Amino acid sequence: MEQTELITLAAALGAPLLVFIGGLISWFLKTRKEDLQAIEERALERRIETYNTILHPLITMFANKSNQKMREKAISEIGSVQYRKAGFNLITFGSDNMVNAYNSMMQAFYKGESENEPKETMRKFAIFLLSIRKDLYNKNTKLKEWDMLKFMITDIEKFIGE
């Protein structure tokens, strides 16, 4: 009889203890997951801010091809400390593909390829835009590099030779 009472007591205490331990583990895992999500959201916000800073003067240059004053302002923005800082952030937070696309695009600008090889410079810009898309939102996108520029170039088919 004593052994039966001991088993009954152990069962009576064991079930609540298991529920408590299970709840504690569940709470710990949920808290950890929420913390990791919050960190990822902050990192995403930081990357978006960085990419916006990087893109602003480039968009200004492409949108204002005939406005020399706006183009000069965009070029001076690219040389600014804030822009360079955003470049360092991109190198730090961006994916490998993002960093390679950015470096390739910037090297094309530094070497003056936009004057001699505008199609190649635009292609590098399109690859950069596509890498932003993949880095932030959709790694498995089916879009191609030129799809990223079709919204802003009316005769893109002539430009890319399709």
Side-chain angles (χ1 to χ4, degrees), residues 5 18 22 40 50 59 63 89 91 96 107 120 132 138 142 148-149 154:
E5 289 176 3
L18 284 175
E40 181 60 32
T50 297
I59 293 168
N89 285 339
I91 300 300
D96 291 353
Q107 284 299 309
E120 184 61 18
I132 289 175
N138 190 349
K142 302 287 188 248
M148 302 305 294
L149 298 179
T154 55

Side-chain angles (χ1 to χ4, degrees), residues 40-56:
E40 181 60 32
E41 285 175 16
R42 284 193 302 271
L44 179 64
E45 288 172 11
R46 180 88 184 250
R47 286 196 316 258
I48 290 171
E49 179 182 318
T50 297
Y51 298 155
N52 281 334
T53 301
I54 295 289
L55 286 173
H56 183 265

Side-chain angles (χ1 to χ4, degrees), residues 55-67 70-76 78 83 105-106 109 114 121 125 152:
L55 286 173
H56 183 265
L58 301 174
I59 293 168
T60 301
M61 282 194 321
F62 288 119
N64 295 295
K65 289 182 181 182
S66 61
N67 187 334
M70 290 294 287
R71 288 178 57 81
E72 288 172 7
K73 183 179 176 187
I75 290 169
S76 70
I78 289 173
Y83 192 85
M105 180 189 68
M106 291 306 292
F109 289 140
S114 59
T121 303
F125 180 58
M152 63 187 249

Side-chain angles (χ1 to χ4, degrees), residues 46 50 53-54 80-90:
R46 180 88 184 250
T50 297
T53 301
I54 295 289
S80 72
V81 172
Q82 179 186 5
Y83 192 85
R84 297 297 180 167
K85 184 177 176 184
F88 277 102
N89 285 339
L90 182 140

Side-chain angles (χ1 to χ4, degrees), residues 80-143:
S80 72
V81 172
Q82 179 186 5
Y83 192 85
R84 297 297 180 167
K85 184 177 176 184
F88 277 102
N89 285 339
L90 182 140
I91 300 300
T92 304
F93 299 116
S95 67
D96 291 353
N97 288 338
M98 167 61 64
V99 172
N100 288 331
Y102 178 68
N103 287 339
S104 178
M105 180 189 68
M106 291 306 292
Q107 284 299 309
F109 289 140
Y110 295 146
K111 293 174 183 174
E113 286 180 14
S114 59
E115 302 300 321
N116 303 331
E117 302 177 45
K119 179 179 176 181
E120 184 61 18
T121 303
M122 292 296 284
R123 188 182 73 77
K124 290 177 180 180
F125 180 58
I127 291 170
F128 177 64
L129 291 175
L130 187 58
S131 66
I132 289 175
R133 178 180 170 82
K134 288 179 179 179
D135 196 42
L136 292 178
Y137 304 110
N138 190 349
K139 292 181 187 338
N140 299 318
T141 185
K142 302 287 188 248
L143 294 176

